[in-house]
């Protein structure tokens, strides 16, 4: 069932963003109101995570460092981000409980049920789908360690697709050493969290 792929996806595409979102809740009442529900908190965590990863990739590309270095950079981000909420709690005297999103037991059971169905079945990659194009783009970004990688599969130079998502797939692949099709398949169950 590729449990390791699911754990890598949760770490790379959600963990740092959730911790950063928690820190933002401690700093701003307006932000806390915006992400009051569990679903909004997870979605904001996902977007913050891919932006953090994208910023790291841009920095590595500018310095000419291989993207595999994200194996070291992301844990450093995690340590810094874990220290930040503790420091904010001490300085702001905000109650931790007030920053936890609301969540119902019935929704939790429904999400777990759907998650396990998707976890068991996975996401099928069809031959006629554009999944292969996206996987090829992520693979080329990872191999060349640049977000400017183009001309894959068809060699058509005119097509541009924003590289943020493909760069995050490349990070997942580089950090976990799990093949891109397995990660793509495993991500289907995690999509439930992000939708």
């Amino acid at each position: 069932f590729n449990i390791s792929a699911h754990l890598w996806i949760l770490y790379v595409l959600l963990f740092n963003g959730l911790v950063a979102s928690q820190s933002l809740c401690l700093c701003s009442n307006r932000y806390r109101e915006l992400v009051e529900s569990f679903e909004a908190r997870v979605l904001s965590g996902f977007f913050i995570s891919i932006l953090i990863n994208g910023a790291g990739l841009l920095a590595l590309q500018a310095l000419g460092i291989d993207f595999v270095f994200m194996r070291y950079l992301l844990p450093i981000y995690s340590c810094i981000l874990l220290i930040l909420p503790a420091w904010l709690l001490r300085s702001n005297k905000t109650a931790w409980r007030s920053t936890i999103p609301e969540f119902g037991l019935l929704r939790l059971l429904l999400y777990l049920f759907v998650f396990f169905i998707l976890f068991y079945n996975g996401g099928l990659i069809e031959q006629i789908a554009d999944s292969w194009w996206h996987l090829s783009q992520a693979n080329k970004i990872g191999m060349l360690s640049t977000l400017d990688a183009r001309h894959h599969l068809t060699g058509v130079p005119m097509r541009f697709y924003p590289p943020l998502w493909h760069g995050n797939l490349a990070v997942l692949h580089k950090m976990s050493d799990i093949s891109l099709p397995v990660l793509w398949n495993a991500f289907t169950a995690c999509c439930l969290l992000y939708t």
Side-chain angles (χ1 to χ4, degrees), residues 13-29:
L13 299 180
L14 190 62
F15 179 77
N16 287 334
L18 282 178
V19 176
S21 183
Q22 185 65 26
S23 296
L24 288 170
C25 285
L26 291 167
C27 294
S28 168
N29 289 332

Side-chain angles (χ1 to χ4, degrees), residues 41-110:
R41 184 72 60 92
V42 169
L43 195 57
S44 70
F46 170 71
F47 284 117
I48 292 170
S49 285
I50 63 171
L51 290 174
I52 289 171
N53 298 344
L57 291 174
L58 284 172
L60 291 177
Q61 179 177 321
L63 295 171
I65 300 173
D66 192 284
F67 283 178
V68 77
F69 193 73
M70 286 294 282
R71 286 183 181 180
Y72 311 107
L73 198 56
L74 277 183
I76 292 169
Y77 286 160
S78 298
C79 290
I80 293 169
L81 288 171
L82 284 170
I83 292 169
L84 189 59
W87 179 77
L88 287 169
L89 279 171
R90 287 190 68 185
S91 63
N92 289 348
K93 307 290 190 242
T94 305
W96 181 265
R97 180 68 184 125
S98 68
T99 63
I100 296 174
E102 59 86 17
F103 194 74
L105 181 61
L106 184 59
R107 287 189 346 229
L108 174 66
L109 294 174
L110 176 65

Side-chain angles (χ1 to χ4, degrees), residues 97-132:
R97 180 68 184 125
S98 68
T99 63
I100 296 174
E102 59 86 17
F103 194 74
L105 181 61
L106 184 59
R107 287 189 346 229
L108 174 66
L109 294 174
L110 176 65
Y111 290 155
L112 285 174
F113 175 72
V114 175
F115 178 83
F116 283 115
I117 289 173
L118 293 172
F119 178 81
Y120 181 75
N121 291 328
L124 301 176
I125 300 174
E126 297 181 15
Q127 296 215 350
I128 59 171
D130 68 346
S131 307
W132 296 110

